[in-house]
């Protein structure tokens, strides 16, 4: 072409110092001459069928510059990959309402199958000064979306000049999770807080469920925690009794569930907001509740 001949003449005239520049310009000219009409073709949502995939690969092969040489398209077979990479999650979280507020208690162990990934995970997410969320399932999913929920709650407060209620925050979170249902999220969380109606507690998960209640426990150790809670829970607990109930329930879960452990953290929420009441190692709690007798 005329542009190619002019580029060749330019490189001979200016010497080898500009050869690299001419090569870049020549590549740019070839890119401009590419047929990119296949990009205008509509793509169906979801996973395309085999015929569509082969057509797209053929179009991409034809669009590559010849100077790059022959390219082999890699189209992996993803069938069964999700099941192969399925990792068993483990944790224990609980929350319950009583006459003076809400108790939230969690452990701190993160596991990936039989591997203990961390003993120091913070499983309580501070959404705002009056709202807390718990983590169970995928750590990254829970952390990201609950911090996103915190941003949305702050925007609500700025737009409406009032703090968002526990019910509204949980409903907002449910709408977010429902929109991503079936897309691989792994979330089982509780949203607990205090608003103009008093204490509030909701359970939510990545399938779009939203349940209001007085007592929940989520995670692989939740059955052990429920064993303690069902035997000792009552709504008119005193503050010290409620804190001790949450702490003891998490301890028993860490003792009986291999996927739970680390530090037992207890939070309390009332009309003044949330505060962390205690943070104790589960091993020390074991010897506290099971003293060695000679």
């Amino acid at each position: 072409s005329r542009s190619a001949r002019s580029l060749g003449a330019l490189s001979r005239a200016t010497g080898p110092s500009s050869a690299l520049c001419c090569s870049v310009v020549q590549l740019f000219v070839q890119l401009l001459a590419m047929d990119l009409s296949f990009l205008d073709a509509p793509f169906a949502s979801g996973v395309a069928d085999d015929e569509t995939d082969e057509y797209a690969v053929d179009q991409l092969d034809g669009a590559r510059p010849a100077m790059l040489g022959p390219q082999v398209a890699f189209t992996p077979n993803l069938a069964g990959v999700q099941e192969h990479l399925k990792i068993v999650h483990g944790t224990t979280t609980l929350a319950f309402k009583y006459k003076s507020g809400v108790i939230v208690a969690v452990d701190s162990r993160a596991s990936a199958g039989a591997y203990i990934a961390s003993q120091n995970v913070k499983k309580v997410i501070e959404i705002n000064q009056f709202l807390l969320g718990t983590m169970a399932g995928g750590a990254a999913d829970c952390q990201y979306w609950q911090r996103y929920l915190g941003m949305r709650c702050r925007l609500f407060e700025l737009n409406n000049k009032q703090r968002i209620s526990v019910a509204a925050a949980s409903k907002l979170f449910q709408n977010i999770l429902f929109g991503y249902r079936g897309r691989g999220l792994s979330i089982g969380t509780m949203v607990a807080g205090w608003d103009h109606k008093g204490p509030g507690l909701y359970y939510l998960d990545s399938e779009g469920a939203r349940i209001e209640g007085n007592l929940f426990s989520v995670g692989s150790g939740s059955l052990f925690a429920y064993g303690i809670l069902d035997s000792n829970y009552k709504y008119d607990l005193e503050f010290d009794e409620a804190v001790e109930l949450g702490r003891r329930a998490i301890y028993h879960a860490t003792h009986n569930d291999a996927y739970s452990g680390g530090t037992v953290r207890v939070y309390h929420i009332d009309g003044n907001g949330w505060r962390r009441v205690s943070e104790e190692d589960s091993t020390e709690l074991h010897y506290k509740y099971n003293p060695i007798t000679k």
Side-chain angles (χ1 to χ4, degrees), residues 68-88:
L68 297 180
Q71 301 291 320
V72 179
F74 176 66
T75 55
N77 182 14
L78 299 180
V81 171
Q82 184 174 2
E83 184 66 25
H84 178 69
L85 295 178
K86 187 176 181 180
I87 295 176
V88 179

Side-chain angles (χ1 to χ4, degrees), residues 11 23 43 79 89 112 136 144 161 177 197 201 209 220 257-258 287:
S11 64
S23 299
F43 288 90
H89 303 288
Y144 176 84
K161 304 299 185 293
L177 296 177
K197 294 183 179 180
L201 177 61
S220 59
D257 177 37
Y287 292 107

Side-chain angles (χ1 to χ4, degrees), residues 9-293:
L10 178 61
S11 64
R12 291 191 299 271
T14 57
S17 61
S18 61
L20 179 60
C21 179
C22 293
S23 299
V24 173
V25 175
Q26 187 173 8
L27 175 60
F28 180 72
V29 172
Q30 291 185 7
L31 291 175
L32 291 178
M34 288 169 51
D35 181 14
L36 300 178
S37 59
F38 71 94
L39 294 176
D40 297 328
F43 288 90
S45 60
V47 180
D49 54 23
D50 294 338
E51 183 178 354
T52 305
D53 288 341
E54 292 176 358
Y55 173 77
V57 170
D58 292 341
Q59 294 297 315
L60 286 172
D61 286 340
R64 291 189 178 94
M67 65 176 295
L68 297 180
Q71 301 291 320
V72 179
F74 176 66
T75 55
N77 182 14
L78 299 180
V81 171
Q82 184 174 2
E83 184 66 25
H84 178 69
L85 295 178
K86 187 176 181 180
I87 295 176
V88 179
H89 303 288
T91 188
T92 305
T93 62
L94 66 85
F96 59 84
K97 295 192 294 185
Y98 75 110
K99 65 177 184 180
S100 300
V102 184
I103 292 292
V104 179
V106 298
D107 73 321
S108 66
R109 175 174 292 179
S111 59
Y115 175 72
I116 298 177
S118 175
Q119 286 277 74
N120 300 294
V121 176
K122 186 179 180 182
K123 295 184 181 180
V124 174
I125 306 296
E126 296 92 357
I127 299 173
N128 62 30
Q129 185 57 37
F130 291 86
L131 282 174
L132 293 177
T134 62
M135 287 174 46
D141 293 340
C142 293
Q143 285 186 350
Y144 176 84
W145 287 111
Q146 291 191 48
R147 294 188 187 282
Y148 176 79
L149 174 64
M151 180 269 292
R152 294 291 299 271
C153 291
R154 178 58 176 161
L155 289 177
F156 178 93
E157 183 177 347
L158 293 173
N159 290 331
N160 297 277
K161 304 299 185 293
Q162 62 178 352
R163 194 172 70 246
I164 191 170
S165 66
V166 183
S170 64
K171 187 63 177 179
L172 177 60
F173 198 22
Q174 181 200 24
N175 292 338
I176 296 171
L177 296 177
F178 188 85
Y180 285 90
R181 186 176 61 169
R183 300 196 178 187
L185 291 182
S186 177
I187 296 176
T189 185
M190 293 170 287
V191 174
W194 186 284
D195 56 25
H196 61 284
K197 294 183 179 180
L201 177 61
Y202 292 83
Y203 164 80
L204 303 100
D205 62 29
S206 47
E207 297 302 312
R210 174 177 174 266
I211 305 171
E212 183 181 11
N214 289 335
L215 183 153
F216 293 108
S217 182
V218 185
S220 59
S222 60
L223 293 179
F224 305 107
Y226 272 127
I228 302 299
L229 293 172
D230 291 342
S231 302
N232 300 278
Y233 172 76
K234 55 185 179 180
Y235 190 80
D236 58 347
L237 289 168
E238 298 298 331
F239 171 77
D240 293 336
E241 295 175 328
V243 171
E244 179 61 22
L245 177 59
R247 183 189 297 117
R248 179 181 285 270
I250 293 295
Y251 155 71
H252 277 276
T254 63
H255 181 66
N256 293 282
D257 177 37
Y259 300 101
S260 302
T263 303
V264 178
R265 295 186 174 97
V266 181
Y267 288 73
H268 182 261
I269 311 173
D270 57 16
N272 297 318
W274 61 263
R275 63 187 177 95
R276 187 169 63 239
V277 179
S278 66
E279 185 172 337
E280 300 179 64
D281 188 87
S282 58
T283 304
E284 296 178 359
L285 289 176
H286 175 75
Y287 292 107
K288 174 182 177 181
Y289 296 134
N290 303 277
I292 299 176
T293 57

